[in-house]
Amino acid sequence: MAYKFIDNYRERGARKKLVSFLRDERKIESEDVLKAIEKVPRHYFFDETFWNQAYRDIAFPIGEGQTISQPYTVAYQTQLLHISPGEKVLEIGTGSGYQTCVLLELKAQVYTIERQEKLYERAKLFLNKMNYKAEFFLGDGSRGIPQHAPYDKILVTAGAPFVPEDLLKQLKIGGICVIPVGDEKSQKMITVLRVNEHDYEKIELDTFRFVPLVGDKAW
Ligand code: SAM
């Protein structure tokens, strides 16, 4: 994909419209999250031929059988994380790197892992060119990244068959994990709060459809 960093009134206007849609129609309430979405040029993650698709509320193919998540899904998951500036966030499933940029706009310190080498290489190169600074890892994120644990927040951007215990163990006390769990066709969004050393509080929310989390502690 050729990188073209042009963000003019047309793209900025489309982004504003998308943010209004997420606020008014999809009922995203966090103004911090909406501001972050308004800052990230989502069309940079698309080939120029498809720029007209970039601000529609849809997922879109990014190669390797994967997708850039739908803006609503990104907003929904990010809102559930309740990120404060400086928090350490583990993202599992870098994909295009778009969600990573939204987390960085919220001033999180982001560790992101992707199992597909081409996507990992592309996102790392691309975010660097855009001057977004995250720590990139190649591998199976279903085990987390224990060497950098504990994390304030863990975000899984692919559908898991269950909540991997390895991930929960890598949360700080008071930390939150957001993960879609279900079968291949649909998943419930789950938030898990680590209450203390041994206890976790789990809440089941809305239904989504993600690409599968593939790995040792996954599909
Ligand atoms: N958040 C991404 C974005 O904004 O583009 C979208 C992620 S896409 C829906 C899910 C990603 O998770 C895919 O790129 C897929 O290769 C990756 N993935 C699946 N299983 C994984 C695993 N065990 N570890 C790391 N990444 C994984």
Side-chain angles (χ1 to χ4, degrees):
M1 188 166 87
Y3 303 112
K4 203 162 181 185
F5 297 141
I6 298 171
D7 190 28
N8 65 24
Y9 71 94
R10 206 179 8 228
E11 287 77 33
R12 287 199 301 271
R15 205 145 67 237
K16 264 191 193 308
K17 260 194 189 162
L18 172 66
V19 165
S20 299
F21 173 79
L22 294 174
R23 183 190 290 113
D24 301 338
E25 307 295 325
R26 306 306 305 257
K27 307 299 175 205
I28 296 297
E29 290 175 352
S30 165
E31 285 301 322
D32 288 343
V33 170
L34 292 168
K35 252 185 237 159
I37 287 180
E38 191 165 340
K39 282 190 187 151
V40 182
R42 190 167 185 263
H43 62 284
Y44 287 0
F45 298 84
F46 289 62
D47 189 273
E48 200 184 349
T49 340
F50 298 113
W51 276 11
N52 60 349
Q53 303 295 310
Y55 296 105
R56 291 181 62 204
D57 191 26
I58 53 170
F60 203 80
I62 54 171
E64 312 308 308
Q66 305 302 322
T67 52
I68 179 172
S69 300
Q70 181 182 347
Y72 170 64
T73 307
V74 171
Y76 185 98
Q77 286 199 294
T78 310
Q79 178 166 270
L80 290 173
L81 290 169
H82 296 282
I83 289 172
S84 299
E87 280 189 339
K88 197 167 156 187
V89 179
L90 170 61
E91 179 194 25
I92 297 159
T94 314
S96 67
Y98 172 70
Q99 167 79 73
T100 315
C101 295
V102 173
L103 296 171
L104 290 169
E105 286 291 356
L106 288 163
K107 307 206 176 347
Q109 190 191 340
V110 184
Y111 293 74
T112 184
I113 182 162
E114 172 57 54
R115 66 180 282 276
Q116 301 251 17
E117 191 165 0
K118 276 193 185 158
L119 298 179
Y120 155 82
E121 293 290 357
R122 193 201 294 161
K124 189 172 156 180
L125 182 77
F126 196 40
L127 266 64
N128 255 318
K129 280 184 191 269
M130 289 171 76
N131 221 15
Y132 279 112
K133 306 280 179 230
E135 303 294 330
F136 293 88
F137 297 84
L138 173 64
D140 175 10
S142 68
R143 292 174 162 277
I145 311 181
Q147 65 272 31
H148 292 288
Y151 305 97
D152 294 289
K153 308 286 160 66
I154 298 179
L155 170 62
V156 182
T157 72
F162 51 83
V163 183
E165 216 176 298
D166 294 47
L167 295 188
L168 299 186
K169 285 193 197 135
Q170 290 171 38
L171 276 178
K172 290 183 187 173
I173 308 293
I176 297 172
C177 174
V178 172
I179 177 168
V181 176
D183 56 28
E184 284 113 290
K185 286 194 181 132
S186 78
Q187 305 87 32
K188 289 277 182 201
M189 197 65 75
I190 306 277
T191 65
V192 185
L193 167 72
R194 183 167 199 176
V195 182
N196 56 41
E197 197 60 43
H198 308 289
D199 300 311
Y200 298 89
E201 255 173 39
K202 196 168 144 186
I203 302 176
E204 206 176 285
L205 300 157
D206 297 325
T207 303
F208 289 81
R209 185 172 187 169
F210 281 82
V211 293
L213 183 74
V214 178
D216 189 38
K217 305 285 174 181
W219 291 108

